[in-house]
Amino acid sequence: MTEPACTVLLTGASGVVGQAVLREAPGRPVRIVSMARPGGTALPPGHDEVLGADLTRPRFGLDEDSYAALARDVDTVIHSAGLTEWGLPYERYKPANVDGTRRVIEFAEHACATVHFMSTAFVAALFTDAPHQLSDTNVTMNYVRSKLRSEQMLRDSGVRYTVFRPTNLIGDSATGWTSRGQIVQLMSDWICRGRAPFIPVHQGNRIDIVPQDLLAKAVLRAVELGDDGGSFWVTYGDEAMDMERAVEMCVKHASALGRTLGPIPVTDPDALDPEALLRLPPLARSYLSVLRDVSEVTRCSGGVLPTSMPELRARYDVPHIQDTDAYLRTLEYASAHLS
Ligand SMILES: NC(=O)c1ccc[n+]([C@@H]2O[C@H](COP(=O)([O-])OP(=O)(O)OC[C@H]3O[C@@H](n4cnc5c(N)ncnc54)[C@H](OP(=O)(O)O)[C@@H]3O)[C@@H](O)[C@H]2O)c1
């Protein structure tokens, strides 16, 4: 058993990323205190150190003594909690994502702790030098604004921190496992059932999805190394598959299940007729509009998301995993467990 070298407060422990971090942690020299919201998603059994706390409340809702004791104990915060659903007004994101990060910063100041913040690769779409401007109506807009605001607050604070900017995550690279089905898994499963009449993706866009264990490994290694600076795009960048390859993976997976997928046209999202969308069944309408908006986010980065993958491999031992192989594992897992 490796002696813990540091104590980590993990916010958002019940979330997809939090669960992936907890799966990767055993055997590493870290002790993890998992923050879970009272009344929120229960953590699976096996986590002894669970702290009931809420980011939207002063001192995380803890009494003064418990907060001070926590600050004495903790050296590092992995800040993964937040409201991640898309399509909500900015005011809905502010309490958990913006004010919550402010409280994490206050706590880090108190504890002299380093913060590793889980942002999103989508912030690139809001950079002033982005090749295209993201439309105000994009479903991810307010969520991304709240993440960018958090990054700014960290930058302006005096605390030591790193920022990890993952693209959309998929299941574990070896097994496809995820604690909860997310948009990529659910939508891909829908496509593999032959339900998508077309796929709205801008020409030339890469389909950049990353297995969740790669992010978890990178963050934990950053903690072990005591890193306290840098921002990392957890993306494949120009190694990411194109749309044709993604569709090929879906066809291959469907065929392994004995299904024959007809050709799926890839269409220009900007030419999408809103009236035609309205005539589709609600699930198709919702998935296709999300696909259109996610495609717009990638297009804002010129079709290829920025990446730090070479650096993550070199410094944080992130394994070389082909995204198409990981995507197939995710499709298999989604068909077996999330359908
Ligand atoms: N998953 C991805 O594809 C992806 C991609 C890019 C960036 N990210 C970023 O990575 C982080 C983690 O994402 P995720 O997929 O793990 O999200 P998630 O599955 O939605 O989990 C969010 C976590 O935050 C917790 N939380 C929400 N409000 C809270 C509050 N007021 N106080 C304390 N905890 C609160 C949730 O608790 P309950 O379960 O009790 O609600 C849950 O544990 C997020 O910041 C997200 O922006 C994720």
Side-chain angles (χ1 to χ4, degrees):
M1 175 75 185
T2 325
E3 264 315 291
C6 72
T7 298
V8 176
L9 176 64
L10 172 64
T11 74
S14 63
V16 168
V17 172
Q19 287 292 296
V21 167
L22 287 170
R23 256 166 85 104
E24 290 292 330
R28 294 178 185 261
V30 289
R31 170 187 159 222
I32 297 192
V33 178
S34 300
M35 184 191 279
R37 261 198 304 187
T41 312
L43 287 180
H47 304 297
D48 321 326
E49 298 205 58
V50 180
L51 173 79
D54 189 334
L55 287 178
T56 61
R57 301 181 56 199
R59 289 196 310 265
F60 306 150
L62 302 173
D63 63 52
E64 266 181 48
D65 289 348
S66 309
Y67 186 80
L70 186 69
R72 278 195 300 276
D73 227 14
V74 165
D75 321 281
T76 306
V77 182
I78 299 178
H79 178 31
S80 185
L83 179 58
T84 57
E85 189 184 333
W86 295 338
L88 303 173
Y90 186 77
E91 297 68 47
R92 286 286 308 281
Y93 295 103
K94 193 172 171 291
N97 294 9
V98 179
D99 301 340
T101 299
R102 183 171 295 115
R103 293 204 173 91
V104 166
I105 291 171
E106 280 163 17
F107 174 78
E109 282 165 350
H110 213 75
C112 294
T114 300
V115 178
H116 299 280
F117 174 56
M118 300 305 110
S119 182
T120 167
F122 287 8
V123 293
L126 297 187
F127 285 4
T128 45
D129 58 355
H132 295 275
Q133 218 188 340
L134 192 66
S135 51
D136 279 341
T137 53
N138 189 287
V139 72
T140 69
M141 175 56 112
N142 291 325
Y143 159 74
V144 179
R145 280 178 61 210
S146 73
K147 303 302 286 188
L148 192 61
R149 180 75 195 108
S150 295
E151 286 198 17
Q152 279 161 353
M153 289 187 319
L154 276 161
R155 213 168 25 248
D156 295 345
S157 76
V159 303
R160 289 166 284 135
Y161 73 98
T162 68
V163 175
F164 287 83
R165 296 181 180 134
T167 181
N168 280 324
L169 298 172
I170 55 172
D172 183 271
S173 56
T175 62
W177 175 88
T178 182
S179 61
R180 184 167 61 78
Q182 289 195 290
I183 195 78
V184 178
Q185 285 98 324
L186 302 174
M187 230 183 252
S188 300
D189 189 54
W190 175 75
I191 292 169
C192 290
R193 287 171 184 282
R195 307 266 164 82
F198 56 87
I199 301 186
V201 171
H202 292 90
Q203 211 185 5
N205 266 14
R206 299 300 172 99
I207 309 303
D208 204 325
I209 46 182
V210 166
Q212 53 189 262
D213 52 310
L214 267 52
L215 171 64
K217 284 183 171 85
V219 177
L220 284 168
R221 192 74 188 119
V223 170
E224 283 170 21
L225 292 174
D227 282 358
D228 58 11
S231 37
F232 306 99
W233 302 93
V234 188
T235 58
Y236 278 103
D238 54 13
E239 284 180 35
M241 64 186 116
D242 57 23
M243 194 60 225
E244 286 67 32
R245 194 91 177 94
V247 170
E248 233 175 80
M249 293 298 111
C250 291
V251 170
K252 186 171 169 183
H253 172 65
S255 157
L257 295 175
R259 299 182 200 139
T260 308
L261 281 193
I264 312 173
V266 176
T267 60
D268 176 4
D270 296 332
L272 212 57
D273 173 9
E275 295 296 319
L277 260 189
L278 282 175
R279 287 194 290 274
L280 292 171
L283 188 65
R285 194 162 62 222
S286 151
Y287 279 174
L288 293 172
S289 1
V290 169
L291 275 169
R292 174 198 59 203
D293 285 8
V294 170
S295 179
E296 191 198 6
V297 172
T298 308
R299 190 179 76 113
C300 288
S301 295
V304 183
L305 295 178
T307 187
S308 309
M309 194 55 91
E311 199 179 347
L312 295 172
R313 288 176 179 143
R315 178 153 183 82
Y316 295 148
D317 306 331
V318 167
H320 278 259
I321 302 284
Q322 193 74 40
D323 60 347
T324 45
D325 292 342
Y327 186 40
L328 261 187
R329 301 290 88 76
T330 274
L331 294 177
E332 288 158 5
Y333 186 91
S335 299
H337 302 281
L338 305 174
S339 288

